[in-house]
């Protein structure tokens, strides 16, 4: 066992997969430059020294190109791990991800596979609206894409490895405030969760969520940063005698529905927390699933705690208003009791 | 379970009666004791009260039809069949009377009877209530937006089960008697005691009008509750009648606790309604229903039966005009009330009141004055406010 | 290595197969027997034929919304293409793709990509893999004049150049992007002129001369195979039919169409072969017969094939998933 940050866990995963399988390579901007950052959040730091610049392939600023290269390389026998510097740039490559990668297997009648990974950092960090979005919902909506969102070092390593070995396009969303990046790339306000990671080989299966905290009065579902908001809220609620069960879905597509449904059947109450705009978001989908499949177990209306329907603001006081806080989660839980 | 609506054999000389008016329509919710339909016999036009609570359906006779007595002309579908909830529906204390929980699809009224603000019930609570046979009307809500939630149903269930084990809330008998007269030297035993019965026919039109007005204001009460209310007042004003014999001691009591004669289906029982003079009609209505229900279930406790200071038998629902109450209870006096009858005389509606009393323990003057006041309160219910 | 002896009859037969296939599709569509619109390749046969003549099954061709010609030239069977157009379970995409997505990975043609320009970056990826794996394969990205203005194409051309990818970008300039004339979308006269801006060779070819295409493609493909990097090959050609089946062609003049009809590739090759006494009328007629028989067989096969089940729609969202 070793304690490490999420950035370190991701780096380990990439390294191990590249050692294990020569077809694996990384492609993205600023990921292999000598003396460089190792990617925007240090995840690929040091890898180009070990694997060279063909396997840690730096690109021009061409998001469409990055995606297309990953897709084509995957179709032709390699296993690329592509990344965007900021999740917001995924929008620059939407056609490639949504029209090409997601649909290639289907349109070919199941004969063509696209075993690629696309990593994307998300979350608001005082950089302004275009470098702040949590946009998983755009992709959970696309049939043909798998989507994971690891919030711990253990899950980051295990899920990235599983993603590399999956024969389908997998989007890996990472939160900027959870990396634990050090030095000049460290983030103000970061949580930097450090977790234990086994030395021996392990995988976290795509499609399985986990109960982070057991409880009986209310189910709180959160992802990435908001998972920690949920856990913080649960701790405070416990002092009031309210027992909250906190669920981390870990994979968004395919969703571990049964885990959530089982929990709601037990507690009768559901609060979903997301760092994403409220309307048409991910929480809305979870709420609909539970309302359809566990309606008669509900003791209170389902509550979503989301960012308001605005672009992400810059000023720290506004950002604190925008990103769901522990207090808002606590308030939401209380409203269900 | 469906309760058949049988035409009562009320004609003196004929085997058929005519249906004059239906007060309820097919699919409407019905409460036990409220007028269901009116018939015309050879003698008079009479209101017939519903013998059960539920949803009226299967109506086979319409206004103007001549029907044989004892024929079933409809049925009342009770809770188990998806009608509105059973006979012991109670509103939450202090809250306005709430609507009956919604009928199942099969019994849904074409024009639903809205009885009050809608009661919110969470799906989880509803499921639990159904599984445990809990009537949701009896459960107060503490959840979001005042909804009944799981914990409310669980609390109700706990109260129900503990109520069956432990003594109920109130004292079985008042603490101290006002006065005691030892009648040991009389050697009187109650059974076989000399009884006098006084009868009076009171004009009940004001009271029926009052009842109708209350119904329009969504306060559903039965005749019994009206008698209790009136008795409460009269007994408070004339405490000589508010007394009971304990062994050889006649005790007069400060609190008014009326034993209500109830047909359990398996004999009579006389559970006690406490502090009748202190309670509003709605509360009396709730309590009498609850007592009746428990009586039917055989769930009355010993405490329920103790401490009566007066006894009331209301045989109006059984369709009896008048009867002589016999004292089989420790109270010194007992009132029997018949049914409210329509027409036949100067008044629109009349009712027979009979007061039986042990003449060794109550003098005729007091008894007459008492009965006179009861009749007056019935005829001029506004006096209850004075 | 440029071939000095192009296989003329083979080229002729391939072009004729494409032509008769497309004509038949048009016919079937008019009779209501094909449930979707079609983007026909009539008039452009020389490009697909000349380029694909050099390709193996391990080389890739990425096509566009107008893919029938590339599919036939690359070796996708007329049966499986026709069955796909008829929306049958035996189609090359099992009825999941339709006209704009025909392809067969077994002969190196992924489902065609109907987002114009979208296949260019993917071609870079495929070529990158071929280079990394050292299997000597090349990837052809085909797109039209309209697509050449897509951002995706610019990104792809740049990436192919900086990494010296074994990719050939074939721009089939048929003078119209749907109804938009070339001259209104370009300040320059030749798409190939842009190649210099990326640092790769750009060549302009008479796209209606299959031998010219064949020769130019040979050079570009050889260069790519030998590690010489990508080429942008612009083939000037003309669509002798509407953009799709619902195109009234009111944006072109009859004179222009007539001019291009005279230069259409199949007749041109036939004329050349006759001129040089390389073929007899009898032989040409025989080829025609064989080609028509192949098309007839494809139609019969398609008609006799079963429909997919409605619930087949749920299959193959993910690889290896059978619903």
């Amino acid at each position: 066992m070793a304690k490490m940050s999420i950035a370190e866990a991701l780096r380990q995963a990439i390294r191990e997969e590249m050692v294990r399988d020569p077809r694996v390579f990384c492609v993205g901007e600023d990921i292999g430059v000598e003396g460089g950052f190792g990617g925007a959040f240090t995840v690929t730091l040091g890898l180009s020294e070990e694997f060279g610049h063909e396997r840690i392939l730096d690109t021009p600023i061409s998001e469409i190109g990055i995606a297309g290269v990953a897709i084509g390389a995957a179709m032709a026998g390699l296993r690329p791990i592509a990344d965007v510097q900021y999740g917001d740039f995924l929008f620059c490559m939407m056609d490639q991800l949504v029209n090409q990668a997601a649909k290639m297997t289907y349109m070919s009648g199941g004969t063509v596979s696209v075993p690629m990974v696309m990593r994307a950092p998300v979350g608001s960090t005082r950089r302004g609206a275009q470098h702040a979005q949590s946009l998983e919902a755009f992709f959970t909506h696309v049939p043909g894409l798998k989507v994971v969102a690891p919030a711990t070092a253990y899950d980051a390593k295990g899920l990235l490895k599983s993603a590399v070995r999956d024969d389908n396009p997998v989007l890996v969303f990472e939160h900027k405030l959870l990396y634990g990046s050090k030095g000049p790339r460290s983030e103000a306000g970061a949580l930097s969760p450090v977790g234990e990671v086994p030395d021996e080989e392990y995988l976290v299966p795509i499609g399985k969520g986990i109960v982070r905290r057991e409880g009986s009065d209310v189910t709180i579902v959160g992802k990435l940063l908001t998972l920690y908001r949920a856990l913080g809220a649960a701790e405070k609620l416990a002092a009031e005698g309210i027992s909250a069960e906190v669920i981390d879905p870990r994979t968004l597509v395919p969703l571990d529905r049964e885990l959530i449904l089982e929990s709601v059947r037990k507690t009768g109450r559901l609060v979903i927390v997301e760092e994403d705009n409220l309307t048409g978001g991910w929480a809305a989908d979870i709420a609909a699933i539970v309302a359809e499949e566990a309606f008669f177990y509900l003791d209170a209306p389902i509550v979503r705690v989301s960012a308001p329907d605005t672009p992400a603001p810059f000023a720290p006081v506004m950002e604190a208003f925008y990103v769901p806080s522990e207090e808002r989660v606590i308030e939401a839980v209380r409203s269900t009791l | 379970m469906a309760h058949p609506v049988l035409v009562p054999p009320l004609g003196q000389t004929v085997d058929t009666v005519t249906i004059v008016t239906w007060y309820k329509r097919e699919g409407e919710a019905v409460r036990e004791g409220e007028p269901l339909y009116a018939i015309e016999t050879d003698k008079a036009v009479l209101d017939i009260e519903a013998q059960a609570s539920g949803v009226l359906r299967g109506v086979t006779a319409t206004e103007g039809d001549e029907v044989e007595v004892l024929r079933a002309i409809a049925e009342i579908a009770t809770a188990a069949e998806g009608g509105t909830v059973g006979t012991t529906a109670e509103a939450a204390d202090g809250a306005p009377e709430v609507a009956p929980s919604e009928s199942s699809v099969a019994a849904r009224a074409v024009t639903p009877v809205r009885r009050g603000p809608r009661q919110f019930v969470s799906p989880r609570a509803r499921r639990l209530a159904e599984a445990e046979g809990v009537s949701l009307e009896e459960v107060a809500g503490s959840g979001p937006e005042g909804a009944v939630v799981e914990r409310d149903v669980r609390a109700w269930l706990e109260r129900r089960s503990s109520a069956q084990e432990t003594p109920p809330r109130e004292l079985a008998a008042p603490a101290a008697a006002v006065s005691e007269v030892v009648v040991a030297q009389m050697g009187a035993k109650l059974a076989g005691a000399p009884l006098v019965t006084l009868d009076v026919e009171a004009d009940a039109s004001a009271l029926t009008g009052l009842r109708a007005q209350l119904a329009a204001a969504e306060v559903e009460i039965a005749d019994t509750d009206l008698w209790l209310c009136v008795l409460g007042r009269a007994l408070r004003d004339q405490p000589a009648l508010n007394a009971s014999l304990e062994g050889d001691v006649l005790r007069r009591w400060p609190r008014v606790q009326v034993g209500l004669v109830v047909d359990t289906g398996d004999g009579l029982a006389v559970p006690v309604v406490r502090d009748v003079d202190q309670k509003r009609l709605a509360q009396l209505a709730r309590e009498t229903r609850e007592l009746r229900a428990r009586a039917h279930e055989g769930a009355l406790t010993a405490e329920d039966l103790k401490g009566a200071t007066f006894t009331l038998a209301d045989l109006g629902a059984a369709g009896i005009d008048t009867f002589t109450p016999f004292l089989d209870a420790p109270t010194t006096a007992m009132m029997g009330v018949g049914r409210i009858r329509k027409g036949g005389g100067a008044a629109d509606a009349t009712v027979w009141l009979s007061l039986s009393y042990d003449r060794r323990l109550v003098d005729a003057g007091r008894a007459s004055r008492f009965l006179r006041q009861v009749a007056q309160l019935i005829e001029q219910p506004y006096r209850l406010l004075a | 290595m440029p071939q000095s002896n192009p296989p003329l009859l083979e080229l002729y037969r391939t072009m004729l197969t494409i032509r008769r296939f497309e004509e038949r599709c048009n016919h079937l569509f008019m009779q209501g027997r094909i449930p979707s619109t079609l983007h026909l390749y009539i008039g452009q046969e020389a490009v697909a034929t000349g380029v694909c003549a050099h390709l193996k099954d391990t080389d890739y061709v990425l096509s566009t919304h107008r893919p029938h010609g590339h599919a036939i030239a690359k070796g996708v069977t007329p049966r499986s293409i026709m069955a796909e157009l008829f929306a049958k379970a035996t189609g090359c995409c099992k009825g999941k793709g339709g006209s704009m997505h025909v392809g067969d990975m077994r002969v190196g043609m992924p489902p065609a990509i109907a987002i114009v320009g979208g296949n260019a970056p993917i071609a870079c990826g495929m070529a990158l893999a071929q280079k990394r794996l050292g299997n000597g394969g090349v990837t052809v990205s085909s797109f039209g004049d309209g697509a050449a203005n897509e951002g995706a194409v610019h990104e792809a051309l740049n990436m192919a150049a900086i990494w010296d990818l074994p990719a050939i970008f074939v721009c089939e300039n048929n003078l119209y992007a749907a109804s938009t004339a070339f001259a209104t979308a370009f300040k320059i006269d030749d798409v190939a002129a842009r190649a210099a801006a990326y640092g790769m060779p750009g060549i302009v070819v008479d796209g209606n001369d299959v031998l010219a295409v064949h020769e130019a493609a040979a050079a570009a493909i050889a260069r790519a195979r030998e590690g010489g990097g990508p080429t942008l090959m612009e083939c000037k050609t003309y669509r002798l039919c509407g953009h799709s089946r619902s195109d009234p062609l009111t944006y072109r003049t009859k004179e222009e169409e007539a001019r291009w009809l005279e230069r259409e590739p199949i007749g041109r090759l036939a004329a050349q072969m006759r001129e040089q006494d390389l073929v007899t009328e009898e032989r040409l007629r025989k080829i025609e017969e064989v080609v028509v028989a192949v098309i007839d067989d494809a139609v019969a096969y398609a008609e006799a094939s079963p429909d997919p089940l409605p619930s087949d729609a749920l299959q193959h969202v993910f690889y290896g998933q059978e619903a």
Side-chain angles (χ1 to χ4, degrees):
Chain A
M1 279 288 194
K3 276 201 144 75
M4 63 182 71
S5 65
I6 288 182
E8 288 168 309
L10 292 167
R11 190 180 311 128
Q12 259 198 21
I14 295 172
R15 199 185 159 273
E16 286 176 19
E17 291 303 295
M18 288 181 70
V19 165
R20 183 188 68 87
D21 185 346
R23 298 172 301 169
V24 179
F25 74 103
C26 292
V27 56
E29 296 161 17
D30 301 299
I31 57 172
V33 176
E34 280 178 32
F37 320 133
F41 297 93
T42 73
V43 171
T44 52
L45 194 59
L47 293 179
S48 59
E49 274 97 85
E50 186 174 348
F51 296 100
H53 295 278
E54 267 190 18
R55 290 187 75 191
I56 307 293
L57 186 59
D58 288 302
T59 70
I61 302 178
S62 305
E63 275 72 24
I64 302 173
I66 292 170
V69 162
I71 294 166
M75 284 164 62
L78 298 182
R79 298 191 84 95
I81 304 174
D83 75 76
V84 281
Q85 280 200 356
Y86 287 83
D88 316 70
F89 307 161
L90 290 171
F91 294 124
C92 305
M93 52 165 75
M94 280 307 259
D95 174 71
Q96 291 293 318
L97 292 176
V98 176
N99 285 328
Q100 321 302 338
K103 297 176 169 59
M104 193 59 70
T105 299
Y106 191 82
M107 293 191 303
S108 70
T111 56
V112 176
S113 73
V114 187
M116 63 172 273
V117 174
M118 175 70 69
R119 296 177 39 240
V122 297
S124 186
T125 54
R126 304 175 189 183
R127 287 179 164 93
Q130 293 176 338
H131 286 69
Q133 293 165 93
S134 290
L135 30 67
E136 299 87 279
F138 284 90
F139 301 96
T140 56
H141 184 59
V142 179
L145 296 179
K146 295 193 182 181
V147 180
V148 301
T152 66
Y154 180 91
D155 288 335
K157 183 175 178 187
L159 276 173
L160 183 51
K161 285 165 81 84
S162 292
V164 170
R165 298 184 197 197
D166 197 305
D167 287 335
N168 293 282
V170 182
L171 278 143
V172 180
F173 286 100
E174 304 154 6
H175 200 286
K176 304 184 190 93
L177 295 179
L178 299 181
Y179 279 125
S181 309
K182 307 271 197 308
R185 306 305 294 174
S186 65
E187 292 289 326
L191 291 189
S192 306
V194 161
E196 298 240 305
V197 174
D199 299 321
E200 59 284 1
E201 168 98 331
Y202 74 97
L203 297 173
V204 172
I206 294 179
K208 298 238 61 110
I210 192 169
V211 177
R212 291 284 178 207
R213 182 187 177 118
E214 281 193 18
S216 53
D217 294 328
V218 60
T219 300
I220 312 178
V221 180
K223 61 175 161 65
L224 297 175
L225 183 69
T226 61
L227 169 69
Y228 292 91
R229 299 284 183 254
L231 287 169
E235 190 62 32
K236 297 199 168 115
L237 287 165
E240 294 175 35
I242 298 167
S243 161
E245 179 148 294
V246 179
I247 290 186
D248 176 2
R250 301 195 293 185
T251 298
L252 307 186
V253 176
L255 182 70
D256 191 346
R257 297 171 152 221
E258 193 47 40
L259 188 72
I260 296 173
L261 291 169
E262 198 184 300
S263 177
V264 174
R265 284 186 211 119
K266 178 173 71 165
T267 66
R269 298 179 187 84
L270 177 63
V271 172
I272 309 153
V273 197
E274 60 178 350
E275 183 184 340
D276 187 9
N277 305 116
L278 176 71
T279 298
W282 174 75
D285 191 40
I286 306 294
I289 291 169
V290 173
E292 277 177 359
E293 303 196 29
F295 177 79
F296 294 102
Y297 293 87
L298 288 171
D299 217 18
I302 300 170
V303 181
R304 296 172 289 165
V305 181
S306 312
D309 287 332
T310 71
F314 155 68
V317 293
M318 285 196 277
E319 188 188 72
F321 176 83
Y322 175 87
V323 179
S325 61
E326 273 179 25
E327 284 63 48
R328 280 183 59 200
V329 177
I330 290 170
E331 219 177 274
V333 168
R334 289 208 191 106
S335 77
T336 67
L337 293 168
Chain B
M1 193 187 50
H3 192 106
V5 176
L6 300 176
V7 178
L10 293 174
Q12 292 281 60
T13 58
V14 295
D15 293 328
T16 63
V17 297
T18 305
I19 309 291
V20 174
T21 312
W22 276 102
Y23 296 120
K24 296 285 181 177
R25 293 190 304 278
E26 177 102 21
E28 266 194 70
V30 163
R31 281 185 195 266
E32 182 188 334
E34 70 178 342
L36 182 58
Y37 61 103
I39 57 170
E40 185 175 30
T41 67
D42 54 329
K43 275 190 69 181
V45 175
L46 308 166
D47 278 353
I48 307 301
E49 289 168 7
Q51 302 296 301
S53 293
V55 173
L56 184 68
R57 61 178 204 204
V59 176
T60 55
T62 54
E63 296 170 358
D65 282 354
E66 199 178 63
V67 294
E68 305 92 50
V69 298
L70 295 178
R71 175 185 138 189
I73 55 170
E75 62 180 21
I76 295 172
T78 55
E81 273 197 322
T84 55
V85 182
T87 61
T88 62
E90 282 184 2
D93 263 351
E97 191 106 21
V98 297
S101 55
E102 277 142 32
S103 320
S104 69
V105 177
R108 193 182 303 284
V110 172
T111 51
V113 178
R114 284 245 151 254
R115 294 265 173 85
R118 179 178 164 175
Q119 182 193 36
F120 289 132
V121 181
S122 82
R124 196 178 181 95
R126 192 179 294 279
R127 231 163 33 90
L128 178 62
E130 270 172 30
E132 297 288 336
V134 174
S135 151
L136 282 166
E137 286 178 23
E138 306 178 31
V139 183
S142 70
E145 300 182 61
V148 172
V149 292
E150 182 186 7
R151 61 171 173 255
D152 299 320
V153 178
R154 293 215 179 274
W156 192 95
L157 284 167
E158 235 185 76
R159 279 200 298 275
R160 177 169 81 180
S161 69
S162 67
Q164 280 154 2
E165 288 148 23
T166 62
R169 37 298 185 219
E170 292 167 29
L171 291 175
V178 171
S179 70
E180 301 174 15
V181 174
V182 177
V183 297
Q185 63 271 39
M186 288 184 158
K189 288 248 186 218
L190 205 53
L195 279 188
V196 175
T197 301
L198 303 177
D199 301 313
V200 70
E201 188 177 29
D203 179 354
S205 28
L207 215 54
T208 51
L210 185 70
R211 192 181 57 200
Q213 285 176 315
L214 286 167
E218 293 166 344
V219 180
E220 296 291 328
I221 53 164
D223 292 342
T224 307
D225 308 313
L226 288 168
W227 312 145
L228 280 173
C229 184
V230 162
L231 280 174
R233 175 57 171 277
L235 287 167
R236 198 178 71 213
D237 288 350
Q238 304 197 38
L241 278 287
N242 194 52
S244 60
L245 204 60
E246 284 190 354
D248 291 336
V249 181
L250 174 67
R251 296 186 198 277
R252 285 186 190 168
W253 304 105
R255 294 170 69 179
V256 177
Q257 311 203 141
V258 178
L260 184 61
V261 177
V262 172
D263 184 1
T264 68
D266 212 12
L268 297 178
V270 189
V272 181
V273 186
R274 307 189 188 278
D275 295 318
V276 171
D277 59 316
Q278 309 284 339
K279 290 175 177 168
R280 295 174 297 121
L281 264 177
Q283 195 173 354
L284 289 173
R286 282 198 304 276
E287 288 186 19
T288 55
R289 280 193 202 94
E290 204 256 319
L291 285 170
R292 264 194 240 279
R294 289 204 283 116
H296 280 293
E297 290 160 13
L300 291 172
T301 66
E303 292 303 323
D304 282 326
L305 305 173
K306 269 168 43 179
T309 62
F310 189 90
T311 307
L312 169 67
D314 180 2
L315 267 63
I320 303 301
D321 289 348
T322 171
F323 72 105
T324 304
F326 61 97
L327 282 178
D328 193 17
T331 60
T332 56
M334 175 171 165
M335 172 148 293
V337 186
R339 65 191 172 86
I340 299 178
R341 300 187 305 159
K342 276 200 160 22
D348 292 338
T350 58
V351 63
W352 278 103
L353 312 168
S354 302
L355 179 69
S356 289
Y357 62 96
D358 183 342
R359 68 182 178 83
R360 296 165 302 169
L361 307 176
V362 180
D363 68 78
R366 284 204 171 89
S368 305
R369 278 197 294 283
F370 176 80
L371 186 57
R372 192 64 252 137
Q373 184 187 12
V374 171
Q376 188 184 60
L377 287 170
I378 286 170
E379 286 171 349
Q380 297 159 11
Y382 52 81
R383 288 179 181 273
L384 288 163
L385 296 170
Chain C
M1 222 141 311
Q3 285 181 254
S4 42
N5 285 326
L8 297 175
L9 286 176
E10 221 175 276
L11 295 174
Y12 181 83
R13 187 185 308 114
T14 302
M15 288 198 293
L16 192 65
T17 305
I18 297 172
R19 175 69 60 87
R20 294 290 176 252
F21 187 94
E22 297 293 71
E23 284 170 347
R24 182 69 61 92
C25 284
N26 187 45
H27 217 71
L28 294 164
F29 175 85
M30 294 303 187
Q31 293 172 350
R33 287 153 72 184
I34 290 182
S36 68
T37 193
L38 304 164
H39 300 82
L40 300 176
Y41 201 64
I42 296 174
Q44 300 180 214
E45 298 87 352
V47 183
T49 303
V51 170
C52 292
H54 306 286
L55 300 179
K56 301 180 275 224
D57 287 350
T58 49
D59 297 315
Y60 300 115
V61 165
L62 289 165
S63 183
T64 70
H65 57 289
R66 197 181 303 284
H68 304 172
H70 301 113
I72 290 169
K74 192 68 174 64
V76 184
T77 68
R79 273 185 168 195
S80 69
I81 303 173
M82 192 60 79
E84 185 65 27
L85 300 183
F86 273 66
K88 299 293 180 121
T90 53
C92 53
C93 302
K94 302 199 177 81
K96 294 293 230 333
S99 169
M100 293 197 280
H101 299 295
V102 297
D104 187 339
M105 205 58 174
R106 291 172 299 184
V107 295
M109 182 165 170
I113 286 162
I115 308 289
V116 297
N119 75 29
I122 296 177
C124 286
M126 300 190 93
L128 180 79
Q130 289 166 319
K131 181 170 175 173
R132 266 286 318 282
L133 295 169
N135 56 25
V138 302
T139 299
V140 171
S141 160
S142 171
F143 53 89
D145 47 289
N149 285 323
E150 277 280 351
V153 171
H154 294 283
E155 293 194 20
L157 290 172
N158 185 53
M159 277 175 156
I162 59 175
W163 294 329
D164 294 311
L165 297 179
I168 300 94
F169 297 93
V170 178
C171 177
E172 296 188 50
N173 184 352
N174 61 15
L175 301 186
Y176 293 90
S179 62
T180 302
F182 182 90
T184 64
F186 287 81
K187 194 77 171 170
I188 51 179
D189 293 330
D190 300 316
V191 177
R194 290 178 173 173
Y198 300 106
M200 71 167 79
I203 52 180
V204 178
V205 183
D206 180 354
N208 278 20
D209 179 350
V210 68
L211 300 178
V213 174
H214 189 263
E215 194 181 319
I221 289 166
R223 217 170 77 80
R225 279 202 215 286
E226 285 151 24
T231 306
L232 174 58
M233 196 172 122
E234 180 187 0
C235 299
K236 307 274 195 192
T237 182
Y238 197 80
R239 214 201 313 127
L240 288 175
C241 54
H243 164 70
S244 67
R245 294 300 78 223
S246 48
D247 185 348
L249 284 175
T250 47
Y251 49 88
R252 310 198 299 198
T253 64
K254 294 285 174 249
E255 293 76 36
E256 184 185 77
E257 289 175 8
R259 255 186 291 125
W260 280 91
L261 189 55
E262 281 171 30
R263 298 165 52 188
E264 74 80 25
I266 299 174
R268 230 164 121 180
L269 180 62
Q272 261 179 285
M273 288 195 292
R274 286 188 193 102
E275 240 170 77
Q276 294 166 37
D277 261 332
L278 295 169
V279 77
T280 62
E281 288 311 312
E282 175 64 29
R283 194 71 198 279
L284 289 178
R285 227 172 359 96
K286 219 49 222 264
I287 293 172
E288 175 82 34
E289 253 175 50
V290 169
V291 165
V292 170
V294 165
I295 309 300
D296 288 341
D297 169 79
V299 175
Y301 173 80
E303 288 187 319
S305 289
D307 289 325
L309 295 172
S311 57
D312 285 350
L314 298 174
Q315 287 186 332
H316 305 129
V317 175
F318 291 120
Y319 190 71
Q321 170 212 26
E322 298 297 321

